[in-house]
Structures are given as C-alpha cells and as structure tokens.
Amino acid sequence: MRKKIGFLSFGHWRNAAGSRTRTAADALLQTIELAQAAEELGVDGAFVRVHHFERQLASPFPLLSAIAARTSRIEIGTGVIDMRYENPLYMAEEAAAADLISGGRLQLGVSRGSPETVLRGAEAFGYVPAEGENAADAARRKTEVFLAAISGAAVARTDPARTGISGGLAIQPQSPGLRERIWWGAGTRATAQWAAGLGVNLQSSTLLSEDTGVPFDRLQAEQIELFRQAWKDHGHTRAPRVSVSRSVLPITEDIDRLYFGDQAQEDQVGLLEGVRSRFGRTYAGEPDRIAAELAADEAVRAADTILFTVPNQLGVEYNARILRTIAEHIAPAIGWSAG
C-alpha cells in the first residue's frame, strides 16, 4: 500500500501577541485554506483534532464539509472525535452527508477522547454513562451503534398508524463505503486489538497509556503489529489502514530557529490519570536530519499513513511552507511520493 501523508491541526485560537489565529473564525477559515494549500502540494490528507470546552476545533462536520467543497482530491478526516459527546445516530447522518459532499473522501477517526480540563463534560452535553459503565465503555457502545447506523442497519421502526406497516428504518442518507473509512484512536495495545475485532482502521495515539520501557516508536510498532495480527485472526478480508502522527518542525530559516530551536527531542514519560504513560517526541531541526530520524522510526515504517501536526497559530502561509518542506525534503525518505 502506498504511504500517505497528511496534516493534523488542533485548531488552537487565541487573541494573544504572536498569534495569527486570534478567533474561532480564524481557526476555521484558516484550516480550510491550509487544506487547499496542502492539496496543491500533493499532500494526501487534511485532519483535525476535536476538543470540547477549549479554544480549539470542536464541531468537525461543518468544517470538513466546507473543506470538501473547496477541494477535489485530498482526504478529510478527524483524529479523533470523542464519542462520549456524540449522539451516534445524528452523527451517522452528519458523517454520511459530509462523505457524500466530499465524494467519498472522509476518513473519520473516533475514540474515547483524551484527558480534559472540563469535569464530566459529556454529561454537560446530556450524555450520562449507564449504570456500571465507565467513559471508555460508553464511547465503545456509541461507536458500535454508529457503525451499525452507517452500515444501513434498521435503528428505528415505522409508525403503523401512519404507514400501515411495521418495519425497520435506517438513517438517511447512506454513503457507500464509509464503514471502511472509520478509524479508532487507540492508546493501548488492548484497545488496538479491540478495534481490529470491530473491523475499523487504527490511529495509534501520540499518547500511549502504558509504558514498557522501550522507546515510543517501538511501543507504537508493537501496538500496530498486535492490531494487524488481531485483524488477521478475525478473518477480515480487506487490508486495514494504520496511521501515526508526528510533530515535525523543520528548521530552514532564522524564524524557524527562533520558534523551535530549543524544542525537547526525547520521549516523555509520566503519570496520566494514575497510569504510567509515554508521549511521542518532537522532531525539530534540519530537514535532512529529521528525514533520517523518521526513516529509522519503527512506527513510521510500520504505518501506511503519517499525519504531521502543525503549529496552526502561526498562520496558513507559515504552515504551508512547513508542509512544502516535509513533502520535498522529508517525506520521500519514509517512502512517500506525490500521487
């Protein structure tokens, strides 16, 4: 399978000195513009991270639909939607609509979501876990309902008083092929194996809530290997896709050195919600050095899709230059070529 690359934006916005993304409107419109620029560069994907109660991107489907309407080739997606906050049937309608507008380019990453500053945020949206159900359980349950809905399953019944019959109804619209373009963001090896059983693609998280003492890229590669073995064991017939994301900040001008010259270059290990976790490193430096380091990255080698996080508050022009440098001087070293 040909390696693909994309950008991943968190859509931060802040009215502060140095920020070129000062409002929510800036964050949304600039993401559309960056997707257009990325498509012109030959980049394969435009992905957004979804966070609630933060000055970041929160409602992906209007944004993805707008990107779809302004582009023709680039994949559009999420990394990830926190399913705790979603009505799975309404989400199925929105996802199908966005996919139809894009002509089948939607690559939708979903998961339980990341740690938040808000207390019981999903409950504020009206979604309370069932008795005995934790947040992860709720996210998985909703994901299974969502997958059934986009697959055309009957999720409601007709009203015999109005129709004269009793039968099942699927959500509308349906978008053929969307079910094969759903991804699960996995933060552990066990959740990756669960995703394989469900028959969805894998987005390996930049934060793995387990630490065996091996480097982050090797830990991710182990997760990917277990996912693919579980996929095979479940007898799925299609080949799954696997993505990893990397923070890559090439330094080619003095302004880059000013912004990123002192970035930490090692994995980070710490306790997160009481669990020892490992975080991926930032790759900052000369493009040739970054290219060599990524070429040796075990998870990058194992994945078919690499998402590069962008410092979106530096503006579209700056981030388009980063993507150009990645496309011309870094991505070819990991097996990518413009399609």
Side-chain angles (χ1 to χ4, degrees):
M1 183 179 292
R2 171 182 168 269
K3 235 175 190 48
K4 295 188 176 185
I5 63 170
F7 74 81
L8 174 62
S9 176
F10 283 49
H12 294 282
W13 53 275
R14 187 182 179 195
N15 188 14
S19 174
R20 291 175 174 80
T21 311
R22 292 178 173 250
T23 68
D26 289 341
L28 292 163
L29 295 173
Q30 289 175 16
T31 303
I32 298 169
E33 293 169 12
L34 185 58
Q36 291 177 284
E39 181 170 83
E40 292 173 3
L41 292 169
V43 171
D44 302 294
F47 286 71
V48 297
R49 186 70 179 266
V50 180
H51 279 130
H52 301 285
F53 298 104
E54 301 281 357
R55 289 185 174 89
Q56 295 177 235
L57 300 173
S59 49
F61 292 107
L63 176 57
L64 295 176
S65 296
I67 293 173
R70 296 275 290 272
T71 57
S72 61
R73 179 194 55 80
I74 198 167
E75 293 181 336
I76 56 173
T78 54
V80 292
I81 294 173
D82 187 334
M83 291 300 293
R84 295 175 300 168
Y85 285 83
E86 298 298 321
N87 177 317
L89 300 187
Y90 182 59
M91 179 179 166
E93 294 177 340
E94 289 188 305
D99 196 44
L100 291 169
I101 291 170
S102 74
R105 290 182 280 140
L106 185 61
Q107 302 287 342
L108 202 63
V110 302
S111 193
R112 172 249 186 261
S114 57
E116 305 174 288
T117 57
V118 63
L119 180 64
R120 296 195 296 273
E123 293 184 25
F125 273 48
Y127 300 122
V128 179
E131 184 176 353
E133 184 180 61
N134 61 30
D137 294 334
R140 294 185 192 189
R141 171 178 51 81
K142 288 186 173 189
T143 298
E144 291 173 349
V145 174
F146 169 73
L147 291 174
I150 63 171
S151 301
V155 294
R157 306 292 298 179
T158 58
D159 180 356
R162 294 180 59 86
T163 65
I165 60 172
S166 177
L169 289 173
I171 65 102
Q172 296 296 338
Q174 291 283 315
S175 186
L178 177 58
R179 173 64 172 80
E180 295 187 355
R181 287 178 274 112
I182 307 302
W183 307 58
W184 180 263
T188 66
R189 289 167 290 188
T191 52
Q193 291 170 307
W194 174 82
L198 208 58
V200 295
N201 304 303
L202 174 68
Q203 288 183 339
S204 183
S205 175
T206 52
L207 188 164
L208 297 180
S209 54
E210 54 189 354
D211 178 41
T212 62
V214 303
F216 180 79
D217 66 313
R218 191 178 305 165
L219 188 60
Q220 271 194 316
E222 291 173 1
Q223 181 196 54
I224 293 168
E225 182 179 1
L226 289 169
F227 167 78
R228 287 188 170 133
Q229 184 58 54
W231 185 278
K232 181 180 178 181
D233 292 344
H234 280 89
H236 301 304
T237 56
R238 70 176 179 90
R241 288 181 62 181
V242 173
S243 76
V244 298
S245 59
R246 291 292 181 265
S247 176
V248 168
L249 302 168
I251 296 176
T252 60
E253 298 181 7
D254 289 342
I255 189 66
D256 306 329
R257 191 165 287 104
L258 177 65
Y259 283 140
F260 309 124
D262 60 352
Q263 287 287 319
Q265 298 285 310
E266 302 296 331
D267 293 349
Q268 300 178 60
V269 180
L271 291 177
L272 187 65
E273 297 182 338
V275 178
R276 184 174 172 86
S277 304
R278 186 170 286 266
F279 306 75
R281 56 170 289 196
T282 295
Y283 292 81
E286 302 297 323
D288 289 349
R289 180 171 68 81
I290 294 176
E293 291 175 341
L294 286 179
D297 184 306
E298 292 188 26
V300 169
R301 292 206 305 266
D304 58 77
T305 302
I306 316 301
L307 302 180
F308 296 99
T309 59
V310 293
N312 75 280
Q313 286 188 92
L314 295 180
V316 175
E317 183 178 351
Y318 190 91
N319 281 285
R321 181 167 65 81
I322 286 180
L323 292 178
R324 181 181 295 277
T325 300
I326 289 172
E328 293 180 352
H329 301 290
I330 296 174
I334 61 174
W336 175 82
S337 60

